[in-house]
Amino acid sequence: MISTEWGAPRVFGNGFKMEDVQAGHYGHQLHVWDWTKHTRIQSLDLGEDGQIPLGIRFLHNPESGQALLCCGLSSSILRVYKAEGGQWETEKVIQVGSKKVKGWMLPEMPGFISDIVISLDDRFLYFNNWLHGDVRQYDITDIHHPKMVGQVFIGGSIVKGGLVTVVEDTELDNQPDPLIIKGRRIPGGPQMIQLSLDGKRLYVTMSLYSAWDKQFYPDMIRSDQ
């Protein structure tokens, strides 16, 4: 089994502060366990590429010995694999760039990838950017060099009409339009995702954690509830 690190509950339970990251209260390691002996056999320090590692998903092919890992704060996808000699190693295969912004808590906004899913045929990877607001589809036929083949914005912090102004963006020419369903603007950003078994439908939820929802998406908390 391979486990990831988020952070100290006493810290993230009160909302996100960059000072807590700098103080070392958030994770940047993976831990490999012997499931038969219930002992830890290896820990991998992911460094700057692996700040706040969250979801890890193995390829479905039982002979592959590979997994993909999403790292929230660093907004990266790492390939986790067993190398010669039996040790586990990582390599970064996707990096989502931060956007320079005004009207937000920091001058640069990371995508904050919090969940990933791999299609049953191991052909496609799907992941979310909870802060930017988009869900992406990548072709991982060549897992060393994934290629983005789909993208849709579902809420997020950089949509038009919000408090945030994007002043520099290496990916988009304009801020995306907000998602409107039945006349209502959808608050929050895409978080947990699940792909149907036939690979034709992707289900998305918008809430990450109540304290973080209130901090980053206060419109999600309705006054009449």
Side-chain angles (χ1 to χ4, degrees):
M1 182 183 76
I2 298 182
S3 63
T4 65
E5 297 180 341
W6 180 2
R10 63 180 176 84
V11 171
F12 66 69
N14 295 318
F16 177 80
K17 295 180 181 178
M18 198 63 191
E19 294 85 352
D20 292 328
V21 176
Q22 298 165 346
H25 298 312
Y26 282 92
H28 51 84
Q29 294 188 89
L30 291 182
H31 303 285
V32 184
W33 304 82
D34 185 321
W35 198 234
T36 59
K37 299 179 180 179
H38 294 186
T39 57
R40 185 178 60 182
I41 57 178
Q42 186 183 352
S43 292
L44 296 83
D45 192 324
L46 306 174
E48 292 299 317
D49 286 336
Q51 294 292 326
I52 311 185
L54 294 171
I56 183 169
R57 305 285 184 264
F58 277 87
L59 297 184
H60 296 90
N61 180 357
E63 298 180 356
S64 67
Q66 300 183 86
L68 291 172
L69 164 73
C70 67
C71 301
L73 185 59
S74 55
S75 303
S76 56
I77 300 291
L78 306 185
R79 183 175 75 96
V80 183
Y81 62 98
K82 183 177 285 189
E84 293 184 9
Q87 292 291 99
W88 289 87
E89 298 183 7
T90 65
E91 68 166 340
K92 182 169 68 172
V93 294
I94 299 174
Q95 178 65 60
V96 176
S98 296
K99 302 179 188 297
K100 293 186 178 181
V101 296
K102 290 183 178 180
W104 199 62
M105 63 183 297
L106 297 171
E108 292 193 9
M109 180 189 293
F112 203 91
I113 307 171
S114 62
D115 195 23
I116 60 175
V117 64
I118 298 173
S119 61
L120 287 178
D121 58 5
D122 290 337
R123 181 182 175 188
F124 294 110
L125 165 72
Y126 300 83
F127 68 80
N128 69 325
N129 285 301
W130 187 64
L131 288 175
H132 289 174
D134 57 319
V135 174
R136 300 187 180 197
Q137 179 191 41
Y138 279 76
D139 185 328
I140 56 171
T141 304
D142 180 358
I143 198 169
H144 300 278
H145 304 95
K147 296 181 179 179
M148 188 168 72
V149 294
Q151 181 183 35
V152 61
F153 276 83
I154 307 175
S157 297
I158 64 167
V159 293
K160 295 176 182 176
L163 299 176
V164 175
T165 300
V166 178
V167 297
E168 185 176 325
D169 192 334
T170 60
E171 293 184 331
L172 303 175
D173 295 328
N174 300 288
Q175 292 182 231
D177 294 319
L179 177 64
I180 307 295
I181 297 179
K182 295 183 178 180
R184 179 188 175 192
R185 178 170 173 162
I186 302 301
Q191 211 283 91
M192 298 301 292
I193 56 178
Q194 181 59 55
L195 187 67
S196 62
L197 296 181
D198 60 8
K200 295 182 178 180
R201 298 173 302 281
L202 189 71
Y203 298 91
V204 183
T205 65
M206 308 299 281
S207 170
L208 191 151
Y209 187 74
S210 61
W212 291 37
D213 294 340
K214 293 175 183 178
Q215 178 181 3
F216 292 101
Y217 295 112
D219 289 346
M220 290 185 67
I221 313 301
R222 295 176 54 184
S223 60
D224 59 347
Q225 291 184 338

mmCIF file of all heavy atoms in Angstrom, residues 70-103:
data_model
loop_
_atom_site.group_PDB
_atom_site.id
_atom_site.type_symbol
_atom_site.label_atom_id
_atom_site.label_comp_id
_atom_site.label_asym_id
_atom_site.label_seq_id
_atom_site.Cartn_x
_atom_site.Cartn_y
_atom_site.Cartn_z
ATOM 1 N N CYS A 70 -1.618 12.971 -7.582
ATOM 2 C CA CYS A 70 -1.872 14.405 -7.707
ATOM 3 C C CYS A 70 -1.397 15.114 -6.444
ATOM 4 O O CYS A 70 -1.596 14.633 -5.329
ATOM 5 C CB CYS A 70 -3.341 14.705 -7.973
ATOM 6 S SG CYS A 70 -4.492 14.333 -6.627
ATOM 7 N N CYS A 71 -0.738 16.238 -6.634
ATOM 8 C CA CYS A 71 -0.215 17.036 -5.525
ATOM 9 C C CYS A 71 -0.913 18.392 -5.545
ATOM 10 O O CYS A 71 -0.792 19.145 -6.518
ATOM 11 C CB CYS A 71 1.288 17.198 -5.652
ATOM 12 S SG CYS A 71 2.172 15.616 -5.671
ATOM 13 N N GLY A 72 -1.655 18.685 -4.465
ATOM 14 C CA GLY A 72 -2.538 19.833 -4.448
ATOM 15 C C GLY A 72 -1.844 21.164 -4.627
ATOM 16 O O GLY A 72 -2.042 21.867 -5.626
ATOM 17 N N LEU A 73 -1.016 21.554 -3.679
ATOM 18 C CA LEU A 73 -0.442 22.897 -3.706
ATOM 19 C C LEU A 73 0.521 23.095 -4.858
ATOM 20 O O LEU A 73 0.546 24.165 -5.471
ATOM 21 C CB LEU A 73 0.262 23.180 -2.376
ATOM 22 C CG LEU A 73 0.806 24.595 -2.209
ATOM 23 C CD1 LEU A 73 -0.311 25.626 -2.325
ATOM 24 C CD2 LEU A 73 1.546 24.747 -0.884
ATOM 25 N N SER A 74 1.315 22.083 -5.172
ATOM 26 C CA SER A 74 2.254 22.220 -6.285
ATOM 27 C C SER A 74 1.587 22.026 -7.639
ATOM 28 O O SER A 74 2.200 22.272 -8.677
ATOM 29 C CB SER A 74 3.416 21.241 -6.132
ATOM 30 O OG SER A 74 2.951 19.919 -5.992
ATOM 31 N N SER A 75 0.317 21.582 -7.642
ATOM 32 C CA SER A 75 -0.471 21.440 -8.871
ATOM 33 C C SER A 75 0.261 20.603 -9.911
ATOM 34 O O SER A 75 0.409 20.999 -11.073
ATOM 35 C CB SER A 75 -0.836 22.812 -9.452
ATOM 36 O OG SER A 75 -1.535 23.578 -8.507
ATOM 37 N N SER A 76 0.744 19.452 -9.484
ATOM 38 C CA SER A 76 1.503 18.582 -10.362
ATOM 39 C C SER A 76 0.962 17.161 -10.307
ATOM 40 O O SER A 76 0.296 16.772 -9.344
ATOM 41 C CB SER A 76 2.989 18.581 -9.959
ATOM 42 O OG SER A 76 3.131 18.200 -8.599
ATOM 43 N N ILE A 77 1.249 16.414 -11.369
ATOM 44 C CA ILE A 77 0.952 14.986 -11.432
ATOM 45 C C ILE A 77 2.286 14.257 -11.522
ATOM 46 O O ILE A 77 3.101 14.538 -12.406
ATOM 47 C CB ILE A 77 0.078 14.628 -12.648
ATOM 48 C CG1 ILE A 77 -1.269 15.381 -12.600
ATOM 49 C CG2 ILE A 77 -0.146 13.120 -12.713
ATOM 50 C CD1 ILE A 77 -2.198 14.938 -11.507
ATOM 51 N N LEU A 78 2.505 13.321 -10.603
ATOM 52 C CA LEU A 78 3.737 12.546 -10.591
ATOM 53 C C LEU A 78 3.446 11.098 -10.959
ATOM 54 O O LEU A 78 2.417 10.549 -10.557
ATOM 55 C CB LEU A 78 4.397 12.584 -9.213
ATOM 56 C CG LEU A 78 4.675 13.946 -8.582
ATOM 57 C CD1 LEU A 78 5.440 13.765 -7.270
ATOM 58 C CD2 LEU A 78 5.455 14.854 -9.520
ATOM 59 N N ARG A 79 4.352 10.505 -11.713
ATOM 60 C CA ARG A 79 4.298 9.062 -11.958
ATOM 61 C C ARG A 79 5.048 8.368 -10.837
ATOM 62 O O ARG A 79 6.195 8.711 -10.526
ATOM 63 C CB ARG A 79 4.915 8.710 -13.314
ATOM 64 C CG ARG A 79 4.820 7.213 -13.662
ATOM 65 C CD ARG A 79 5.342 6.929 -15.062
ATOM 66 N NE ARG A 79 6.792 6.980 -15.143
ATOM 67 C CZ ARG A 79 7.602 5.914 -15.065
ATOM 68 N NH1 ARG A 79 7.081 4.698 -14.916
ATOM 69 N NH2 ARG A 79 8.915 6.051 -15.160
ATOM 70 N N VAL A 80 4.415 7.391 -10.213
ATOM 71 C CA VAL A 80 5.033 6.619 -9.143
ATOM 72 C C VAL A 80 5.251 5.212 -9.682
ATOM 73 O O VAL A 80 4.311 4.582 -10.178
ATOM 74 C CB VAL A 80 4.129 6.578 -7.891
ATOM 75 C CG1 VAL A 80 4.811 5.842 -6.749
ATOM 76 C CG2 VAL A 80 3.736 7.999 -7.470
ATOM 77 N N TYR A 81 6.467 4.716 -9.599
ATOM 78 C CA TYR A 81 6.762 3.435 -10.227
ATOM 79 C C TYR A 81 7.815 2.669 -9.425
ATOM 80 O O TYR A 81 8.615 3.251 -8.688
ATOM 81 C CB TYR A 81 7.255 3.644 -11.661
ATOM 82 C CG TYR A 81 8.541 4.439 -11.759
ATOM 83 C CD1 TYR A 81 9.772 3.795 -11.899
ATOM 84 C CD2 TYR A 81 8.523 5.834 -11.708
ATOM 85 C CE1 TYR A 81 10.953 4.517 -11.997
ATOM 86 C CE2 TYR A 81 9.703 6.567 -11.797
ATOM 87 C CZ TYR A 81 10.909 5.908 -11.941
ATOM 88 O OH TYR A 81 12.073 6.626 -12.012
ATOM 89 N N LYS A 82 7.795 1.358 -9.599
ATOM 90 C CA LYS A 82 8.786 0.503 -8.951
ATOM 91 C C LYS A 82 9.982 0.349 -9.879
ATOM 92 O O LYS A 82 9.867 -0.143 -11.002
ATOM 93 C CB LYS A 82 8.193 -0.855 -8.609
ATOM 94 C CG LYS A 82 9.159 -1.783 -7.869
ATOM 95 C CD LYS A 82 8.512 -3.094 -7.473
ATOM 96 C CE LYS A 82 7.580 -2.909 -6.276
ATOM 97 N NZ LYS A 82 7.107 -4.236 -5.749
ATOM 98 N N ALA A 83 11.140 0.770 -9.387
ATOM 99 C CA ALA A 83 12.365 0.718 -10.183
ATOM 100 C C ALA A 83 13.077 -0.623 -9.995
ATOM 101 O O ALA A 83 12.650 -1.463 -9.201
ATOM 102 C CB ALA A 83 13.288 1.865 -9.769
ATOM 103 N N GLU A 84 14.146 -0.801 -10.747
ATOM 104 C CA GLU A 84 14.942 -2.017 -10.585
ATOM 105 C C GLU A 84 15.482 -2.082 -9.154
ATOM 106 O O GLU A 84 15.930 -1.085 -8.602
ATOM 107 C CB GLU A 84 16.093 -2.024 -11.583
ATOM 108 C CG GLU A 84 15.653 -2.141 -13.038
ATOM 109 C CD GLU A 84 16.831 -2.236 -13.977
ATOM 110 O OE1 GLU A 84 17.968 -2.384 -13.476
ATOM 111 O OE2 GLU A 84 16.620 -2.161 -15.203
ATOM 112 N N GLY A 85 15.428 -3.248 -8.560
ATOM 113 C CA GLY A 85 15.845 -3.401 -7.182
ATOM 114 C C GLY A 85 14.698 -3.346 -6.197
ATOM 115 O O GLY A 85 14.895 -3.571 -5.007
ATOM 116 N N GLY A 86 13.487 -2.993 -6.715
ATOM 117 C CA GLY A 86 12.314 -3.026 -5.863
ATOM 118 C C GLY A 86 11.970 -1.730 -5.167
ATOM 119 O O GLY A 86 10.931 -1.638 -4.500
ATOM 120 N N GLN A 87 12.815 -0.701 -5.287
ATOM 121 C CA GLN A 87 12.517 0.581 -4.668
ATOM 122 C C GLN A 87 11.529 1.373 -5.523
ATOM 123 O O GLN A 87 11.502 1.250 -6.747
ATOM 124 C CB GLN A 87 13.795 1.404 -4.483
ATOM 125 C CG GLN A 87 14.761 0.835 -3.443
ATOM 126 C CD GLN A 87 14.210 0.936 -2.046
ATOM 127 O OE1 GLN A 87 13.676 -0.044 -1.517
ATOM 128 N NE2 GLN A 87 14.325 2.096 -1.439
ATOM 129 N N TRP A 88 10.722 2.217 -4.856
ATOM 130 C CA TRP A 88 9.764 3.056 -5.555
ATOM 131 C C TRP A 88 10.378 4.426 -5.819
ATOM 132 O O TRP A 88 11.100 4.976 -4.983
ATOM 133 C CB TRP A 88 8.476 3.192 -4.750
ATOM 134 C CG TRP A 88 7.677 1.925 -4.717
ATOM 135 C CD1 TRP A 88 7.809 0.893 -3.832
ATOM 136 C CD2 TRP A 88 6.639 1.547 -5.623
ATOM 137 N NE1 TRP A 88 6.920 -0.108 -4.133
ATOM 138 C CE2 TRP A 88 6.182 0.266 -5.222
ATOM 139 C CE3 TRP A 88 6.050 2.158 -6.723
ATOM 140 C CZ2 TRP A 88 5.162 -0.399 -5.891
ATOM 141 C CZ3 TRP A 88 5.040 1.492 -7.396
ATOM 142 C CH2 TRP A 88 4.607 0.221 -6.984
ATOM 143 N N GLU A 89 10.080 4.981 -6.988
ATOM 144 C CA GLU A 89 10.587 6.284 -7.378
ATOM 145 C C GLU A 89 9.466 7.098 -8.030
ATOM 146 O O GLU A 89 8.385 6.565 -8.321
ATOM 147 C CB GLU A 89 11.779 6.141 -8.339
ATOM 148 C CG GLU A 89 12.973 5.428 -7.736
ATOM 149 C CD GLU A 89 14.156 5.354 -8.683
ATOM 150 O OE1 GLU A 89 14.092 5.978 -9.775
ATOM 151 O OE2 GLU A 89 15.142 4.678 -8.339
ATOM 152 N N THR A 90 9.715 8.383 -8.253
ATOM 153 C CA THR A 90 8.710 9.260 -8.861
ATOM 154 C C THR A 90 9.351 10.126 -9.947
ATOM 155 O O THR A 90 10.559 10.375 -9.932
ATOM 156 C CB THR A 90 8.058 10.190 -7.818
ATOM 157 O OG1 THR A 90 9.047 11.104 -7.298
ATOM 158 C CG2 THR A 90 7.448 9.392 -6.678
ATOM 159 N N GLU A 91 8.494 10.572 -10.876
ATOM 160 C CA GLU A 91 8.895 11.581 -11.851
ATOM 161 C C GLU A 91 7.680 12.443 -12.156
ATOM 162 O O GLU A 91 6.552 11.952 -12.229
ATOM 163 C CB GLU A 91 9.426 10.942 -13.145
ATOM 164 C CG GLU A 91 8.392 10.199 -13.966
ATOM 165 C CD GLU A 91 8.870 9.884 -15.377
ATOM 166 O OE1 GLU A 91 9.814 10.537 -15.844
ATOM 167 O OE2 GLU A 91 8.283 8.978 -16.006
ATOM 168 N N LYS A 92 7.919 13.737 -12.324
ATOM 169 C CA LYS A 92 6.816 14.648 -12.654
ATOM 170 C C LYS A 92 6.495 14.533 -14.134
ATOM 171 O O LYS A 92 7.385 14.638 -14.980
ATOM 172 C CB LYS A 92 7.176 16.090 -12.305
ATOM 173 C CG LYS A 92 6.045 17.073 -12.576
ATOM 174 C CD LYS A 92 6.326 18.439 -11.988
ATOM 175 C CE LYS A 92 7.457 19.140 -12.686
ATOM 176 N NZ LYS A 92 7.615 20.547 -12.231
ATOM 177 N N VAL A 93 5.200 14.339 -14.449
ATOM 178 C CA VAL A 93 4.794 14.203 -15.853
ATOM 179 C C VAL A 93 3.832 15.307 -16.298
ATOM 180 O O VAL A 93 3.664 15.521 -17.497
ATOM 181 C CB VAL A 93 4.175 12.817 -16.125
ATOM 182 C CG1 VAL A 93 5.229 11.720 -15.970
ATOM 183 C CG2 VAL A 93 2.988 12.532 -15.203
ATOM 184 N N ILE A 94 3.197 16.006 -15.354
ATOM 185 C CA ILE A 94 2.292 17.117 -15.686
ATOM 186 C C ILE A 94 2.502 18.224 -14.661
ATOM 187 O O ILE A 94 2.599 17.957 -13.462
ATOM 188 C CB ILE A 94 0.804 16.699 -15.674
ATOM 189 C CG1 ILE A 94 0.536 15.611 -16.711
ATOM 190 C CG2 ILE A 94 -0.101 17.906 -15.949
ATOM 191 C CD1 ILE A 94 -0.880 15.051 -16.635
ATOM 192 N N GLN A 95 2.561 19.463 -15.138
ATOM 193 C CA GLN A 95 2.621 20.626 -14.255
ATOM 194 C C GLN A 95 1.574 21.645 -14.702
ATOM 195 O O GLN A 95 1.597 22.095 -15.851
ATOM 196 C CB GLN A 95 4.006 21.273 -14.284
ATOM 197 C CG GLN A 95 4.131 22.526 -13.435
ATOM 198 C CD GLN A 95 3.953 22.238 -11.951
ATOM 199 O OE1 GLN A 95 4.720 21.458 -11.378
ATOM 200 N NE2 GLN A 95 2.951 22.839 -11.322
ATOM 201 N N VAL A 96 0.657 21.992 -13.823
ATOM 202 C CA VAL A 96 -0.322 23.039 -14.092
ATOM 203 C C VAL A 96 0.244 24.355 -13.567
ATOM 204 O O VAL A 96 0.578 24.471 -12.381
ATOM 205 C CB VAL A 96 -1.667 22.744 -13.412
ATOM 206 C CG1 VAL A 96 -2.642 23.910 -13.623
ATOM 207 C CG2 VAL A 96 -2.261 21.451 -13.956
ATOM 208 N N GLY A 97 0.378 25.332 -14.447
ATOM 209 C CA GLY A 97 0.980 26.599 -14.064
ATOM 210 C C GLY A 97 0.070 27.443 -13.186
ATOM 211 O O GLY A 97 -1.158 27.429 -13.330
ATOM 212 N N SER A 98 0.678 28.185 -12.266
ATOM 213 C CA SER A 98 -0.078 29.140 -11.455
ATOM 214 C C SER A 98 -0.436 30.356 -12.293
ATOM 215 O O SER A 98 0.215 30.645 -13.309
ATOM 216 C CB SER A 98 0.744 29.569 -10.235
ATOM 217 O OG SER A 98 1.003 28.485 -9.377
ATOM 218 N N LYS A 99 -1.471 31.078 -11.858
ATOM 219 C CA LYS A 99 -1.904 32.280 -12.556
ATOM 220 C C LYS A 99 -1.649 33.494 -11.666
ATOM 221 O O LYS A 99 -1.967 33.479 -10.471
ATOM 222 C CB LYS A 99 -3.392 32.178 -12.911
ATOM 223 C CG LYS A 99 -3.709 30.957 -13.784
ATOM 224 C CD LYS A 99 -5.185 30.864 -14.111
ATOM 225 C CE LYS A 99 -5.515 29.547 -14.816
ATOM 226 N NZ LYS A 99 -4.844 29.403 -16.111
ATOM 227 N N LYS A 100 -1.069 34.542 -12.245
ATOM 228 C CA LYS A 100 -0.864 35.770 -11.488
ATOM 229 C C LYS A 100 -2.195 36.514 -11.412
ATOM 230 O O LYS A 100 -2.855 36.727 -12.432
ATOM 231 C CB LYS A 100 0.201 36.633 -12.153
ATOM 232 C CG LYS A 100 1.590 36.001 -12.092
ATOM 233 C CD LYS A 100 2.653 36.936 -12.637
ATOM 234 C CE LYS A 100 4.043 36.298 -12.529
ATOM 235 N NZ LYS A 100 5.106 37.201 -13.035
ATOM 236 N N VAL A 101 -2.570 36.883 -10.188
ATOM 237 C CA VAL A 101 -3.914 37.416 -9.968
ATOM 238 C C VAL A 101 -3.893 38.636 -9.043
ATOM 239 O O VAL A 101 -2.903 38.897 -8.351
ATOM 240 C CB VAL A 101 -4.830 36.332 -9.346
ATOM 241 C CG1 VAL A 101 -5.025 35.169 -10.300
ATOM 242 C CG2 VAL A 101 -4.268 35.844 -8.014
ATOM 243 N N LYS A 102 -5.013 39.350 -9.045
ATOM 244 C CA LYS A 102 -5.296 40.407 -8.078
ATOM 245 C C LYS A 102 -6.627 40.084 -7.410
ATOM 246 O O LYS A 102 -7.491 39.459 -8.003
ATOM 247 C CB LYS A 102 -5.379 41.767 -8.778
ATOM 248 C CG LYS A 102 -4.054 42.296 -9.299
ATOM 249 C CD LYS A 102 -4.224 43.681 -9.917
ATOM 250 C CE LYS A 102 -2.888 44.234 -10.405
ATOM 251 N NZ LYS A 102 -3.058 45.584 -11.018
ATOM 252 N N GLY A 103 -6.790 40.509 -6.169
ATOM 253 C CA GLY A 103 -8.037 40.285 -5.464
ATOM 254 C C GLY A 103 -8.119 38.930 -4.791
ATOM 255 O O GLY A 103 -9.222 38.474 -4.446
#
